[in-house]
Amino acid sequence: MRKTIKSITLIVLIFILGVFFISLNKSTDYNTEHLIGNKLNKIKFESLEHKKIFTEEDFKKNNYTLINFWASWCAPCRIEHPILIKLSKEQNLKILGVNFKDKKINALKFLKDLGNPYDYLAKDTSGKESVNYGIYGIPESILIDNKYIIQKKFIGPLNLKDYDDILEVINSL
Amino acid sequence: MKLKIYALIFFLHFSSILSANQIVDQNAIHKNLRCLVCQGQSIADSNSDFAQTLKMVVKDLINQGKTEEEIYDFLSDKYGDWILYKPKFNLENFLLWFFPYIVLIAGGFIIVFLIKKRSKKV
C-alpha cells in the first residue's frame, strides 16, 4: 500500500510540476491570433465625413482591405502613420480607417497634418462597434480578403516587419 | 377601480422584480469578464476605457434579449476564452474541471484504505 501511495504522490507531483513548467514557459501576452481565418460578418461602420454606412458591399471589389483603428489622441497611431501612407500606394490594398472614440475636428486635422492614407474613413464614437472585431486598444489593424476572411491581425502600431508581412499577403495573388 | 389599483400594484411589483434580476445578471456577467488591459481585474472592478465599453456592450446585448451564455459566447468569440474568468468546459481544459474531483476521490480511497488497515492491526 505504501508503494501505491508513494506512486500516486509521485504522479501528482510530476503532474503539478508539469503544469507549472508549461504555464511558466507559455507566453502570457494576450493576443487575438485565434481570429485569423475567421470571417467577418455584418461589417457596418458609419462614415466619418458623410451620412453613409459602410458595409461588406463596399469592400467586396477590393482584393484586400486593411481595417485600421486609430485616433488623433493616440500617440502610437502617429508612429504607424508613415507605414499606412506607404501601404496606401499599394494597388491590391484598400485601407479603411476607423476613427476610434475621437472628435471629428481633431481626426480631420490629424489627417490634414500627416496625410490621409485611407480610402474609406469611418468612425466608432462609442467604441462599441470595435468590440465586434476583437479590438481592445488602439492602434490595431485587421487585414481581410475579398471574402472578408481575416488574414492578419496586428495589435499595436504597424512596423516595417508588419509592412513586409502585409505586402507578402497582398502580392501573393 | 380596485381591480385597476391591484393590477397597477402587480405590474409595478413584477417590473421591479424583473429589473432587479437584470441588475443582478448584469453584475454577475461583469464579474466574470476579465478586463484585458488591467492587472487581474474584472470589468466590474475597473473603470478603464475598455471596461466601460464592454459594460455598454453587455448592456446592449441584455437589452437585445441575449442570455448570459450567449453573451459569453459572443465575447469569447471576439477575444478568446481568456476574457472569461470562469473557463468554459471543453476538451482543452477538462482536466482543470475534473482534476480536483479525481484528487478528492483518490484521497478518499487512500484514507479509507488506511483506516481499514489500522483497524485490522488493532
Side-chain angles (χ1 to χ4, degrees):
Chain A
M1 180 59 193
R2 275 195 177 170
K3 264 191 178 179
T4 320
I5 294 172
K6 269 184 187 173
S7 357
I8 290 172
T9 315
L10 196 69
I11 290 166
V12 170
L13 201 69
I14 290 169
F15 178 80
I16 291 168
L17 285 175
V19 168
F20 274 114
F21 182 77
I22 293 166
S23 305
L24 291 172
N25 280 306
K26 208 174 159 184
S27 169
T28 52
D29 291 339
Y30 171 70
N31 66 60
T32 44
E33 271 175 15
H34 67 280
L35 288 173
I36 293 168
N38 285 7
K39 190 178 175 178
L40 288 186
N41 293 314
K42 294 175 194 165
I43 300 175
K44 196 178 148 195
F45 284 112
E46 233 180 294
S47 168
L48 177 72
E49 295 168 295
H50 313 286
K51 278 190 175 175
K52 180 185 166 35
I53 303 283
F54 294 116
T55 61
E56 291 105 289
E57 287 302 309
D58 294 290
F59 314 113
K60 207 176 175 179
K61 58 185 184 296
N62 307 338
N63 288 329
Y64 290 97
T65 307
L66 184 74
I67 308 173
N68 175 249
F69 294 83
W70 68 283
S72 65
W73 48 261
C74 149
C77 298
R78 288 176 184 268
I79 296 168
E80 73 169 4
H81 208 73
I83 303 276
L84 289 167
I85 297 280
K86 271 175 91 174
L87 283 169
S88 66
K89 288 165 189 155
E90 293 299 324
Q91 291 212 325
N92 272 343
L93 182 74
K94 297 283 177 197
I95 308 177
L96 161 68
V98 181
N99 187 239
F100 183 86
K101 293 187 176 181
D102 203 356
K103 286 181 180 161
K104 186 180 171 182
I105 189 167
N106 295 342
L108 294 175
K109 189 180 180 304
F110 178 96
L111 295 178
K112 197 182 166 192
D113 292 347
L114 300 175
N116 185 356
Y118 303 117
D119 300 285
Y120 313 90
L121 204 47
K123 64 176 176 184
D124 182 14
T125 318
S126 66
K128 287 195 282 186
E129 199 58 45
S130 303
V131 169
N132 289 322
Y133 304 87
I135 304 299
Y136 68 97
I138 53 165
E140 281 191 44
S141 305
I142 304 170
L143 180 66
I144 56 166
D145 63 14
N146 53 6
K147 286 173 185 134
Y148 323 116
I149 308 284
I150 299 174
Q151 300 293 319
K152 293 262 177 197
K153 186 155 193 314
F154 305 94
I155 295 170
L158 294 170
N159 55 37
L160 282 172
K161 193 195 166 292
D162 300 330
Y163 172 76
D164 290 338
D165 288 346
I166 292 170
L167 286 195
E168 200 183 318
V169 175
I170 64 172
N171 292 328
S172 64
L173 273 174
Chain B
M1 185 64 189
K2 261 189 179 179
L3 192 70
K4 276 183 185 173
I5 292 168
Y6 284 136
L8 184 69
I9 291 168
F10 177 76
F11 173 75
L12 288 174
H13 179 69
F14 191 67
S15 59
S16 69
I17 288 173
L18 275 181
S19 62
N21 279 343
Q22 185 169 323
I23 290 164
V24 169
D25 282 344
Q26 203 165 317
N27 286 338
I29 293 168
H30 290 172
K31 279 180 186 166
N32 193 27
L33 292 174
R34 189 186 304 272
C35 171
L36 298 176
V37 295
C38 317
Q39 292 273 332
Q41 278 183 311
S42 71
I43 64 162
D45 306 323
S46 170
N47 278 322
S48 73
D49 209 31
F50 177 71
Q52 298 301 325
T53 308
L54 268 199
K55 282 176 193 171
M56 286 194 290
V57 171
V58 168
K59 195 180 174 189
D60 286 353
L61 291 170
I62 290 172
N63 289 340
Q64 284 167 26
K66 302 274 188 226
T67 63
E68 197 171 333
E69 274 312 304
E70 283 170 337
I71 293 170
Y72 293 150
D73 285 345
F74 170 78
L75 289 170
S76 61
D77 185 42
K78 305 301 173 196
Y79 295 100
D81 284 347
W82 177 244
I83 199 158
L84 304 177
Y85 268 111
K86 189 180 170 189
K88 283 181 186 173
F89 178 75
N90 57 33
L91 260 181
E92 276 177 26
N93 61 17
F94 80 99
L95 258 182
L96 186 72
W97 287 88
F98 282 117
F99 191 69
Y101 299 109
I102 295 169
V103 170
L104 191 74
I105 292 163
F109 273 118
I110 292 168
I111 290 166
V112 169
F113 190 84
L114 286 175
I115 290 170
K116 272 189 179 176
K117 205 177 172 188
R118 274 193 189 175
S119 58
K120 269 183 191 174
K121 274 185 185 175
V122 175

